[in-house]
């Protein structure tokens, strides 16, 4: 009989058909997959296996099969003595319909195996079917329905009946890939039928547990189970004994201390609380946001089975925790356990977060060996049990909109826990979270301006409820390319599995693996960016001196940026708003980010001072997407003409620093290839002109539209180069063996703050100490800067070359301002030219040589007139209407 035949319902008893008719109005079935018939092999008998025995499950299965055009489970199984083509792995004692209490649940499997022994040509395909009633109550669901939704407990008949009445319209029937019983028997060889039957039953039980865990979450039936496992672990017992000896307290007191600590850490996951929170949050999000979009989620879902999944999103807001958990839950994926700062363990809020899967960690483990061992063991227990996790490797929320340098503590714990018991491969899932407006925006600006961070408290939370009166636009959750741990370990050490033998060992390659993993996570987050209308407006408007643009200019700039991102895609996971430029402007006005000033000669769009500061956050979200274009444009801020080779050469020099700051994905050659493609794009759009068989590039005069558009693109990155110049200037000005790393950071921060005050810069991250620290670290890694025996900084002569190259990008008055403000020696003069700067240029020199001649000659008070035909003063390119 074909698997697509649909037998008549009369094959089932009359009472079964009657029960199905009574149940039908209360149940709405969603099949997964929607067309399960495609899974089956035609012409082979089908036997369904369900997880739990029960009339309601049989009725739901029969209806799902009928609606999908599958063979009915109520027919006799061809070639066997079985009257039905379905059986259950777990059975209840029967009081109705004459169920046999003594029969083993595996007996049906034995019957199937024995039926095939005498006929090697026959086969039976066993189809596991999982049935869930009320997995995810909707926004309209009542609290009572939440209490009777699906869980891990085998409930009684009365509770199952209530679940069907209350949640039956949210029923999921999951058909798994069929198993060929003949294939299993062939692979088993001469295994006795009894042993083979037990093996198949064990595999099916594991399969059902895995599917249930993926749909409704892991079976963490009691928090105490995990806590006891942590306290009984050998490393923890040793740490408790060491603490008792060190603090001169009794072992019992040390154990109680450890118990209190692990209770402070451990989550108390509760399925009813998660569903109740989902019920509440659906209303909350609808009042707060205009929509929450998830992109590339199906790719993430497909990669997850068989892995220990660790979600590693960027951290922009306290809403990140709730958004991720809510969206995963309503999408049919288990809510992960989330590492949260202990500062969020507030009265009332803390217990709710804990029951939603949050486990808490202190900001620092220093000086507390017992706490460190306990936390490491707790993470190891979660990984060992297959519990999905989520943590933010940035360590805290970004106040600038950029990705922060990763803090690898949680990654180290995860990798070491896996090495200790590598049962299930670990998969890291990067997630980009993009907002159009932030609840914490104003507090971020205050913190960057020097105000102390306000400590989280219940009173502060209540005071902050006023932000809920506003609308915050749309939110995007973009799932990036997942990262498997095993290939990274194989690349670092092919024999890494030998590290399992000693759980306390720390292989020399571990830090290298963790650093590579951390960088790749940040890179893949950036490769999944979402470009929304506010990002595009911020890129354009913040590049103008007064944060205002004529409407026609803004429309043209938005169209150019969208075209750039579409024609030169950063990655296949970047998403871009579908709005046209006019729609983007209208949306920005609607959201209150920009204001229209009417004028007879054409309207002007402007963003106010405070809004401009807040907009810098959203510009920084997507700076990495336009970094190559910004670099090319920067080369023509102060130069009319430049060779293509010079753009690429200088790009190679600067790339390690912007790569480290923006987590760009390419190597040096890849970056140059991107630069080539970007130059070609600018030439096609008429922003640059290519001459000399493509070797020389030239922009138009400063007054034309093309030069204005290039300037707007360039200014998104120019502040980064100003920060680099501040660092180099401070170091060179003070001389070698003078400043420590911390003193240099402080000098740079003070210089940048003063420069921002004098120039009314609207980007607080311009004087962010972390960005200076990152640049100095890159100088160290490149061996351009190093620390001497006294702890002071020394530097290579290459630093002076960087000072020279900076003249190509930064205007003279900017450089002089920086040198004048920077604390140290004489601030009135720039570094003296090298002897090569005065060398004459041959008459037949290439355009690149002419350009290099100009760069060196800029030191002289009486520069030759020839280069002036190539360059312009930085103010000459101001666009005029």
């Amino acid at each position: 009989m074909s698997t697509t035949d649909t037998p008549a319902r009369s094959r089932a008893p009359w009472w079964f058909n009657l029960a199905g008719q009574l149940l039908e109005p209360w149940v709405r079935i969603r099949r997964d997959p929607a067309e399960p018939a495609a899974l089956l092999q035609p012409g082979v008998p089908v036997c369904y296996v369900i997880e739990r025995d029960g009339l309601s499950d049989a009725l739901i299965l029969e209806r799902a099969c009928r609606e999908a055009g599958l063979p009915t489970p109520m027919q006799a199984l061809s070639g066997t003595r079985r009257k039905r083509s379905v059986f259950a792995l777990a059975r209840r004692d029967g009081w109705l319909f004459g169920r046999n209490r003594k029969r083993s649940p595996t007996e049906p499997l034995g019957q199937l195996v024995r039926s095939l022994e005498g006929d090697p040509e026959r086969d039976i395909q066993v189809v596991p079917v999982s049935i869930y009633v009320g997995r995810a109550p909707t926004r309209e669901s009542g609290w009572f329905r939440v209490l009777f939704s699906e869980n891990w407990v085998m409930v009684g008949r009365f509770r199952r009946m209530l679940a069907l009445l209350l949640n039956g319209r949210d029923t999921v029937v999951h058909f798994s890939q069929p198993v060929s019983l003949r294939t299993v028997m062939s692979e088993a060889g001469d295994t006795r039928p009894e042993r083979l039957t037990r093996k198949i039953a064990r595999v099916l039980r594991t399969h059902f547990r895995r599917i249930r865990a993926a749909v409704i979450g892991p079976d963490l039936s009691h928090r105490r189970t995990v806590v006891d496992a942590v306290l009984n672990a050998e490393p923890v017992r040793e740490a408790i004994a060491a603490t008792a000896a060190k603090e001169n307290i009794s072992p019992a007191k040390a154990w109680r201390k450890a118990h209190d600590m692990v209770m402070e850490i451990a989550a108390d996951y509760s399925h009813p609380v998660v569903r109740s929170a989902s019920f509440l949050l659906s209303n909350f999000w609808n009042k707060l946001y205009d929509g929450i979009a998830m992109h590339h989620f199906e790719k993430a879902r497909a990669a997850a089975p068989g892995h220990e999944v660790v979600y590693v999103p960027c951290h922009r807001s306290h809403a990140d925790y709730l958004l991720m958990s809510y969206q995963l839950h309503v999408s049919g994926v288990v809510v992960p356990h989330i590492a949260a700062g202990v500062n969020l363990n507030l009265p009332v809020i803390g217990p709710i977060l804990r029951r939603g899967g949050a486990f808490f960690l202190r900001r620092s483990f220093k000086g507390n060996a017992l706490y460190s061992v306990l936390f490491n063991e707790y993470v190891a227990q979660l990984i060992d049990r297959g519990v999905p996790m989520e943590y933010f490797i940035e360590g805290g929320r970004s106040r600038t909109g950029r990705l922060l340098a990763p803090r690898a503590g949680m990654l180290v714990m995860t990798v070491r826990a896996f090495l200790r018991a590598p049962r299930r491969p670990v998969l890291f899932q990067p997630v980009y979270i993009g907002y159009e407006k932030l609840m914490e925006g104003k507090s971020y600006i205050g913190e960057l301006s020097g105000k102390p961070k306000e400590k989280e408290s219940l009173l502060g939370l209540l005071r902050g409820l006023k932000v809920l009166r506003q609308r915050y636009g749309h939110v995007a959750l973009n799932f990036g390319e997942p990262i498997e741990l095993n290939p990274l370990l194989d690349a670092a050490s092919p024999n890494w599995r030998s590290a399992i033998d000693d759980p306390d060992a720390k292989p020399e390659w571990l830090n290298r693996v963790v650093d590579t993993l951390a960088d790749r996570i940040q890179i893949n987050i950036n490769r999944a960016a979402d470009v929304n209308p506010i990002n595009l407006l911020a890129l354009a408007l913040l590049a103008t001196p007064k944060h205002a643009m004529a409407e026609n200019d803004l429309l043209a700039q938005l169209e150019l940026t969208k075209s750039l991102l579409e024609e030169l895609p950063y990655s296949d996971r970047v998403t871009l708003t579908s709005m046209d430029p006019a729609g983007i402007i209208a949306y920005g006005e609607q959201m209150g980010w920009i204001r229209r000033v009417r004028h007879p000669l054409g309207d002007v769009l402007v963003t106010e001072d405070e809004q401009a500061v807040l907009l810098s956050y959203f510009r920084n979200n997507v700076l990495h997407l336009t970094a190559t274009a910004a670099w090319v444009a920067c080369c023509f801020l102060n130069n009319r003409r430049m060779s293509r080779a010079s753009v690429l050469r200088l790009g190679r020099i600067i790339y390690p620093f912007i790569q480290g700051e923006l987590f760009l994905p390419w190597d040096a050659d890849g970056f140059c290839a991107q630069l080539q493609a970007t130059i070609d794009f600018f030439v096609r759009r008429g922003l640059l002109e290519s001459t000399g068989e493509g070797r020389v590039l030239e922009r138009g005069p400063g007054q034309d539209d093309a030069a204005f558009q290039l300037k707007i693109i360039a200014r998104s990155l120019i502040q980064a180069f100003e920060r680099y110049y501040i660092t180099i200037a401070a170091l060179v000005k003070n001389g070698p063996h003078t400043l420590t790393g911390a003193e240099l950071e402080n000098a740079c921060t003070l210089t940048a703050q003063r420069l921002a005050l004098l120039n009314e810069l609207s980007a607080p991250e311009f004087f962010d100490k972390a960005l200076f620290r990152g640049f100095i670290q890159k100088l160290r890694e490149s061996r351009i800067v190093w620390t001497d025996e006294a702890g002071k900084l020394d530097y290579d002569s290459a630093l002076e070359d960087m000072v020279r190259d900076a003249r190509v990008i930064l205007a003279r008055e900017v450089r002089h301002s920086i040198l004048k403000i920077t604390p140290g020696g004489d601030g009135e003069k720039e570094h003296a030219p090298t002897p090569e700067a005065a060398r004459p240029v041959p008459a037949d020199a290439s355009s690149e040589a002419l350009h290099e001649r100009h760069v060196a000659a800029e030191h002289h008070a009486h520069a030759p007139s020839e280069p002036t035909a190539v360059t312009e003063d930085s103010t000459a390119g101001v666009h005029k209407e």
Side-chain angles (χ1 to χ4, degrees):
M1 173 183 154
S2 171
T3 58
T4 58
D5 292 342
T6 306
R9 293 188 67 194
S10 59
R11 299 187 183 189
W14 65 268
W15 53 264
F16 187 90
N17 291 335
L18 178 61
Q21 291 172 5
L22 292 174
L23 186 65
E24 190 159 346
W26 300 92
V27 174
R28 180 187 298 154
I29 295 174
R30 178 170 64 87
R31 298 186 305 275
D32 182 21
E35 299 296 335
L39 301 174
L40 302 183
Q41 182 180 350
V44 179
V46 176
C47 184
Y48 304 97
V49 54
I50 55 179
E51 187 178 9
R52 300 171 180 183
D53 197 12
L55 175 62
S56 62
D57 282 15
L59 291 169
I60 291 170
L61 174 62
E62 191 277 335
R63 179 178 160 191
C65 291
R66 174 162 41 89
E67 292 176 352
L70 298 175
T72 176
M74 302 310 294
Q75 68 179 344
L77 184 58
S78 173
T80 71
R81 297 181 179 180
R82 291 196 55 77
K83 297 179 181 179
R84 302 285 179 257
S85 297
V86 61
F87 66 91
L89 278 184
R91 300 178 61 85
R92 280 193 298 261
D93 289 343
W95 57 271
L96 192 61
F97 310 130
R99 287 203 181 108
N100 186 348
R101 300 186 185 193
K102 297 181 180 179
R103 190 172 63 186
S104 167
T106 60
E107 184 177 330
L109 269 174
Q111 292 176 355
L112 301 184
V113 170
R114 287 191 293 272
S115 72
L116 296 183
E117 285 182 325
D119 187 354
E121 299 300 322
R122 289 188 64 250
D123 192 8
I124 296 174
Q125 45 188 336
V126 177
V127 181
V129 182
S130 305
I131 299 172
Y132 305 109
V133 177
R135 192 214 73 86
T138 61
R139 181 169 62 89
E140 293 79 14
S141 302
W143 288 91
F144 201 57
R145 296 187 180 189
V146 171
L147 297 177
F148 290 94
S149 52
E150 195 71 48
N151 55 43
W152 282 86
V153 180
M154 182 179 282
V155 298
R157 294 175 178 83
F158 179 71
R159 184 181 174 97
R160 186 64 165 179
M161 182 182 72
L162 287 177
L164 285 166
L165 295 177
L166 294 169
N167 294 319
R169 299 182 72 78
D170 182 29
T171 297
V172 177
V173 179
H174 178 86
F175 291 86
S176 297
Q177 196 74 27
V179 177
S180 167
L181 206 53
R182 173 62 61 191
T183 302
V184 173
M185 292 174 66
S186 301
E187 292 174 351
D190 297 330
T191 305
R192 289 186 304 170
E194 294 80 9
R195 291 188 62 184
L196 179 60
T197 299
R198 289 196 297 271
K199 179 181 177 182
I200 296 172
R202 188 165 59 249
V203 170
L204 286 171
R205 281 193 293 270
T206 302
H207 169 80
F208 280 121
R209 279 199 299 270
R210 183 172 63 83
I211 296 297
R212 183 168 287 268
V215 172
I216 68 171
D219 184 13
L220 298 180
S221 54
H222 209 291
R223 178 188 186 189
R224 196 177 303 125
T225 307
V226 181
V227 170
D228 289 346
V230 170
L231 293 172
N232 289 327
E234 185 63 30
V236 172
R237 290 205 302 268
E238 292 175 0
I240 291 173
T243 300
K246 180 180 178 181
E247 299 182 9
N248 197 24
I249 57 177
S250 67
K253 188 172 183 179
W255 185 92
R256 287 195 297 273
K257 182 177 181 180
H259 180 268
D260 291 344
M261 284 181 176
V262 76
M263 291 297 284
E264 174 194 301
I265 294 168
D268 191 12
Y269 190 89
S270 165
H271 295 298
V273 168
V274 169
R275 292 184 181 87
S276 301
S278 172
F279 172 82
L280 281 175
L281 285 173
S282 59
N283 290 288
F284 179 73
W285 297 139
N286 286 334
K287 292 179 180 177
L288 208 61
Y289 297 113
D290 296 325
I292 303 171
M294 287 207 302
H295 302 116
H296 311 298
F297 172 69
E298 291 305 322
K299 296 178 184 177
R301 189 206 291 266
H307 291 86
E308 162 65 23
V309 180
V310 180
Y311 296 95
V312 277
C314 60
H315 201 8
R316 303 273 160 83
S317 167
H318 279 315
D320 298 343
Y321 303 95
L322 301 176
L323 277 168
M324 274 288 295
S325 295
Y326 173 79
Q327 287 298 116
L328 290 173
H329 179 68
V330 299
S331 300
V333 175
V334 57
V335 173
H337 276 42
I338 306 171
V342 74
N343 56 313
L344 293 179
N345 191 15
L346 304 171
V348 182
I349 301 299
I352 295 174
L353 293 177
R354 198 183 292 277
R355 285 169 175 78
F359 61 97
F360 296 98
L361 72 158
R362 298 175 184 177
R363 289 297 181 191
S364 174
F365 294 4
K366 287 184 179 179
N368 199 333
L370 178 59
Y371 184 86
S372 178
V373 172
L374 286 167
F375 194 89
N376 275 275
E377 184 61 35
Y378 180 75
V379 171
Q381 287 291 332
L382 293 184
I383 290 177
D384 190 52
R385 291 161 186 259
V387 179
M389 288 196 298
E390 175 188 334
Y391 48 74
F392 304 95
I393 66 170
E394 295 168 276
R397 291 166 294 154
S398 171
R399 268 62 173 177
T400 65
R402 301 165 180 263
L403 287 182
L404 303 179
R407 297 183 181 181
M410 286 297 299
L411 291 177
V412 172
M413 292 182 215
T414 304
V415 173
R416 296 196 70 174
F418 171 74
L419 291 175
R420 193 178 84 173
R423 295 185 181 90
R424 186 182 291 103
V426 178
L427 183 84
F428 293 90
Q429 178 58 64
V431 184
Y432 176 94
I433 305 177
Y435 296 92
E436 293 178 348
K437 186 177 283 189
L438 282 174
M439 289 180 280
E440 302 99 326
K442 291 186 178 181
S443 67
Y444 285 176
I445 302 306
E447 290 173 33
L448 284 171
S449 300
K451 294 180 182 178
K453 177 180 178 290
E454 186 176 343
K455 187 176 180 181
E456 284 83 0
S457 66
L458 187 59
L459 182 61
L461 179 65
L462 294 174
R463 283 201 306 264
L465 290 177
K466 61 184 179 182
V467 302
L468 304 183
R469 300 172 190 165
Q470 301 181 41
R471 299 289 289 185
Y472 291 88
H474 294 80
V475 182
L477 276 69
N478 282 12
F479 289 77
E481 187 74 29
I483 302 162
E484 294 189 41
L485 179 58
N486 280 15
L488 293 180
L489 294 172
D490 291 335
S493 174
N495 301 318
W496 62 266
R497 289 170 179 81
S498 61
I500 304 167
D501 300 335
D502 183 4
D504 296 324
K506 187 176 180 181
E508 52 87 17
W509 43 262
L510 180 62
N511 287 343
R512 189 167 67 253
V513 168
V514 171
D515 289 344
T516 302
L517 175 60
D519 283 342
R520 194 166 297 179
I521 288 170
Q522 299 294 73
I523 287 170
N524 284 10
I525 289 174
N526 267 349
R527 284 167 59 89
D530 175 72
V531 186
N532 61 48
I534 311 307
N535 299 137
L536 294 173
L537 286 171
L539 281 171
L541 287 171
L542 296 185
T544 59
K546 293 190 176 181
H547 312 130
M549 288 180 75
E551 185 173 18
N552 288 339
D553 288 339
L554 183 55
L555 287 169
Q557 196 69 34
L558 292 172
E559 188 277 328
L560 174 66
T561 307
K562 282 198 68 175
S563 296
L564 175 69
L565 296 175
E566 288 169 346
E567 293 186 35
L568 304 177
Y570 189 85
S571 88
D572 61 351
R573 299 207 179 206
V574 169
T575 52
L576 178 62
T577 177
S578 59
M579 290 186 185
D580 61 12
I584 291 172
I585 292 175
Y587 187 71
E589 292 181 86
Q590 176 191 327
M591 289 287 293
W593 282 114
I594 58 177
R595 180 172 59 87
R596 180 181 295 270
V597 178
R598 303 285 181 182
H599 194 274
L601 297 181
D603 291 355
V604 174
L605 282 308
V606 61
T607 181
E608 309 295 347
D609 290 343
E610 185 178 272
Q611 293 291 74
V613 175
L614 294 171
L615 267 182
S616 67
Y617 193 98
F618 301 95
R619 177 197 61 193
N620 293 343
N621 290 167
V622 295
L623 270 183
H624 60 285
L625 301 180
T626 59
T628 53
W631 167 253
V632 174
C634 279
C635 291
F636 295 90
L637 271 178
N638 305 299
N639 305 284
R640 280 283 303 279
R641 186 182 302 111
M642 195 169 182
S643 72
R644 185 185 290 252
S646 291
V647 175
L648 301 181
R649 181 186 66 81
L650 293 173
R652 281 184 179 272
I653 294 171
I654 203 68
Y655 181 62
F657 306 109
I658 58 175
Q659 180 189 33
E661 183 172 321
L662 300 178
F663 297 100
L664 302 180
W666 311 288
D667 59 13
D669 290 337
F671 181 64
C672 284
Q674 288 294 118
L675 291 178
Q676 293 274 27
T678 304
I679 290 170
D680 293 340
F681 171 82
F682 283 161
V683 171
R684 288 196 304 272
R685 293 294 299 241
L687 274 66
L688 292 175
E689 183 180 347
S690 178
T691 59
E693 298 182 348
R695 292 193 302 269
V696 179
L697 302 168
E698 184 175 355
R699 68 162 169 84
Q703 292 79 14
D704 75 358
D705 289 342
F708 176 71
Q709 290 185 320
L710 275 178
K711 181 169 292 189
I712 295 299
I713 294 172
R715 283 180 173 166
S716 65
L717 203 59
I718 197 67
Q719 288 180 359
F721 301 134
E722 290 176 1
R723 279 197 311 275
Y724 300 162
Y725 192 75
I726 287 171
T727 308
I728 296 168
L731 198 53
V732 172
K733 196 171 177 182
N734 284 277
H737 313 292
T738 305
L739 299 175
T740 65
E743 289 169 343
L744 178 59
E745 282 180 28
N746 191 53
C748 293
T749 304
L750 292 174
T751 303
Q753 284 177 340
R754 185 165 178 80
L755 196 64
L757 287 171
L758 293 172
N759 293 278
E760 296 184 4
L761 294 178
S762 61
E765 83 278 359
F766 180 64
F767 44 82
D768 183 6
K769 186 175 286 189
L771 294 177
F772 286 109
R773 187 181 304 123
F775 178 62
I776 295 168
Q777 180 58 32
K778 279 293 179 183
L779 291 173
R780 291 178 191 268
E781 292 174 6
S782 303
R783 296 297 300 160
I784 296 173
V785 169
W786 61 88
T787 304
D788 64 15
E789 295 178 356
K792 305 292 186 179
L793 294 176
D794 194 4
Y795 51 86
D796 188 79
S797 59
L799 202 68
E800 297 176 6
D801 295 336
M802 295 177 73
V803 172
R804 181 199 66 197
D805 290 333
R807 295 182 171 89
V808 179
I809 306 301
L810 300 180
R812 182 176 301 173
E813 62 268 26
V814 173
R815 302 195 309 272
H816 286 187
S817 296
I818 290 172
L819 288 169
K820 185 174 183 179
I821 296 170
T822 304
D826 182 10
E828 300 303 322
K829 296 180 181 179
E830 296 195 48
H831 189 68
T834 60
E836 294 176 288
R839 189 176 61 202
V841 179
D844 60 347
S846 67
S847 58
E848 182 176 357
L850 288 172
H851 174 70
E852 298 299 338
R853 167 71 173 82
H854 161 65
V855 169
E858 194 181 48
H859 290 287
H860 299 279
H862 303 287
S865 59
E866 184 269 335
T868 59
V870 182
T871 65
E872 289 183 353
D873 185 78
S874 65
T875 58
V878 176
H879 182 67
K880 302 192 184 294
E881 297 193 39

